[in-house]
């Protein structure tokens, strides 16, 4: 068997992994207090705001921000903020607007605009990275989630830096982690509706290195429309990953975004908790989400 055809080794040897890990742990910040960056004008961010946003993303692949209330409902303000961080190429989907902004809200009571996808309900969303089913040339490098309206209760997001999760996995199951880099670790069957192919079959690894040498992760806890490689090591690795995600890891951050606040991240692993909306239609939970090809801060 030609090993190189079936695997994509992430690190050439243990020493390379150890130095990557050391660098990551040295830079990583476990602090959770006061880490939201206030942005006065998202159309023209100040140098100190830019430096703080980028510093936090380099440390843990995400940053939380808060806009001046004047801009809290403006999709254009979010797009502009992202552009200044190097996020140019938006990735749309059938549910997003023409400008590729998705309005994430519970549409189950809206017969004219219903959706069969869980993000558009008030149900919990299990741990995943965005666009895990997208081909290499459209893979989601980063995304922003911006809160326009908070739910009446619930709707928190939990986040974990995928690089820190990789380090945990390596420590927990060093003999299993390689199986998550197999090029056929996960298969997403084609999405065909009324004879029209909305998405072709995708096959890929959970962990890979992107062309710039950054760790990339494709993952979902969903059970339907995903086929894991039938291999004992892959099954064990996935169950180890799932048990890590259900443990109270110190790297996990739980946030409940308020109006005007958002998460910018390099497509880290995240989930959403269930929520209850207010009876008032104008106060329903609403997030704007925009996905990008680029990673944050790679100008
Ligand atoms: Fe997501």
């Amino acid at each position: 068997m030609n090993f190189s055809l079936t695997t994509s080794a992430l690190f050439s040897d243990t020493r390379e992994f150890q130095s990557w890990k050391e660098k990551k742990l040295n830079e990583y910040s476990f602090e959770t207090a006061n880490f939201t960056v206030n942005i006065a004008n998202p159309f023209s961010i100040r140098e100190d705001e830019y430096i703080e946003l980028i510093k936090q993303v380099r440390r843990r692949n995400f940053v939380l921000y808060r806009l001046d209330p004047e801009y809290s409902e403006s999709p254009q303000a979010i797009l502009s903020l992202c552009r200044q961080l190097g996020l140019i190429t938006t990735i749309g989907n059938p549910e997003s607007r023409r400008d590729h902004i998705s309005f994430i809200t519970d549409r189950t009571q809206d017969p004219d605009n219903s959706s069969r996808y869980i993000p558009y309900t008030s149900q919990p969303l299990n741990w995943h990275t965005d666009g895990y089913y997208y081909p290499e040339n459209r893979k989601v490098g980063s995304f922003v989630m911006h809160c326009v309206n908070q739910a009446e209760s619930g709707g928190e997001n939990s986040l974990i830096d995928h690089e820190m999760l990789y380090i945990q996995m390596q420590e927990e199951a060093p003999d299993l982690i390689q199986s998550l880099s197999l090029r056929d670790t996960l298969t997403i069957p084609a999405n065909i509706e009324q004879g029209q192919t909305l998405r072709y079959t995708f096959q890929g690894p959970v962990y890979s290195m992107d062309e710039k040498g950054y760790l990339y992760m494709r993952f979902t806890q969903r059970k339907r429309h995903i086929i894991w490689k039938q291999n004992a090591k892959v099954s064990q690795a996935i169950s180890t990953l799932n048990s890590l995600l259900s443990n109270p890891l110190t790297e996990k951050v739980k946030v409940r975004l308020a109006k005007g606040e958002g998460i910018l991240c390099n497509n880290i692993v995240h989930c959403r908790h269930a929520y209850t909306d207010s009876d008032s239609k104008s106060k329903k939970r609403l997030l704007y989400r925009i996905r990008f090809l680029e990673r944050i801060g790679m100008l």
Side-chain angles (χ1 to χ4, degrees):
M1 182 174 72
N2 186 338
F3 195 67
S4 65
L5 280 179
T6 52
T7 67
S8 56
L10 302 190
F11 299 96
S12 52
D13 54 29
T14 317
R15 210 159 54 175
E16 192 185 89
F17 168 70
Q18 286 300 342
S19 77
W20 175 85
K21 177 181 160 183
E22 243 167 69
K23 185 170 179 285
K24 178 74 189 176
L25 294 177
N26 283 339
E27 288 172 359
Y28 190 79
S29 164
F30 284 93
E31 69 187 65
T32 52
N34 301 324
F35 59 35
T36 301
V37 181
N38 290 305
I39 310 281
N41 178 0
F43 287 100
S44 175
I45 58 173
R46 293 194 314 256
E47 195 182 349
D48 61 315
E49 294 167 344
Y50 175 85
I51 289 170
E52 188 57 30
L53 289 167
I54 297 294
K55 187 177 85 182
Q56 291 204 30
V57 174
R58 292 215 170 121
R59 277 183 180 166
R60 54 182 176 182
N61 280 311
F62 76 92
V63 64
L64 304 175
Y65 68 82
R66 183 184 300 116
L67 299 189
D68 185 278
E70 183 185 342
Y71 305 102
S72 59
E73 295 184 17
S74 164
Q76 290 312 315
I78 314 305
L79 270 175
S80 175
L81 168 66
C82 292
R83 245 178 252 128
Q84 292 165 81
L85 299 173
L87 309 182
I88 311 294
T89 319
T90 55
I91 302 172
N93 65 52
E95 300 285 330
S96 58
R97 305 194 316 177
R98 288 177 74 173
D99 57 8
H100 294 172
I101 301 179
S102 297
F103 281 38
I104 312 284
T105 195
D106 179 5
R107 294 178 2 201
T108 49
Q109 305 299 323
D110 188 350
D112 299 330
N113 192 23
S114 65
S115 167
R116 63 192 178 89
Y117 300 110
I118 298 171
Y120 304 96
T121 70
S122 59
Q123 293 172 39
L125 265 170
N126 287 333
W127 292 99
H128 66 281
T129 57
D130 271 22
Y132 54 87
Y133 39 79
Y134 281 161
E136 277 297 297
N137 62 356
R138 277 185 78 218
K139 70 182 183 192
V140 177
S142 63
F143 65 83
V144 60
M145 275 200 300
H146 176 85
C147 179
V148 178
N149 273 327
Q150 202 176 44
E152 189 168 73
S153 65
E156 301 89 347
N157 289 102
S158 289
L159 318 166
I160 184 164
D161 179 347
H162 61 291
E163 292 182 333
M164 294 301 282
L165 189 60
Y166 184 87
I167 290 171
Q168 290 278 349
M169 267 300 286
Q170 174 70 30
E171 281 169 8
E172 193 80 15
D175 53 332
L176 299 178
I177 197 163
Q178 179 76 359
S179 68
L180 296 181
S181 299
L182 298 171
R183 290 182 183 149
D184 56 353
T185 301
L186 66 90
T187 302
I188 312 294
N191 182 4
I192 300 168
E193 268 181 38
Q194 293 163 353
Q196 205 190 343
T197 305
L198 300 179
R199 188 186 60 233
Y200 291 98
T201 301
F202 173 80
Q203 200 166 61
V206 170
Y207 288 118
S208 57
M209 280 293 177
D210 73 12
E211 55 289 348
K212 290 191 173 140
Y214 291 103
L215 186 74
Y216 192 78
M217 186 173 181
R218 297 175 182 270
F219 182 67
T220 177
Q221 280 186 324
R222 67 182 302 176
K223 303 271 188 294
R224 295 172 63 222
H225 306 302
I226 179 160
I227 303 160
W228 292 104
K229 186 179 172 70
Q230 293 301 298
N231 167 306
K233 283 197 167 183
V234 171
S235 308
Q236 284 175 49
I238 294 302
S239 73
T240 307
L241 248 184
N242 284 329
S243 70
L244 277 176
L245 287 168
S246 53
N247 285 347
L249 301 175
T250 41
E251 297 88 345
K252 260 191 214 169
V253 175
K254 190 174 180 182
V255 287
R256 185 160 187 262
L257 297 175
K259 189 180 185 75
E261 294 178 346
I263 302 163
L264 275 154
C265 75
N266 284 331
N267 203 1
I268 57 172
V269 190
H270 58 287
C271 67
R272 179 185 77 194
H273 300 255
Y275 66 89
T276 308
D277 261 334
S278 152
D279 289 337
S280 158
K281 220 177 169 186
S282 64
K283 287 186 183 158
K284 275 166 74 89
R285 183 182 193 266
L286 171 63
L287 298 188
Y288 299 152
R289 187 200 59 213
I290 319 171
R291 293 165 168 166
F292 299 90
L293 217 54
E294 296 87 6
R295 285 170 55 91
I296 298 165
M298 299 300 122
L299 296 174

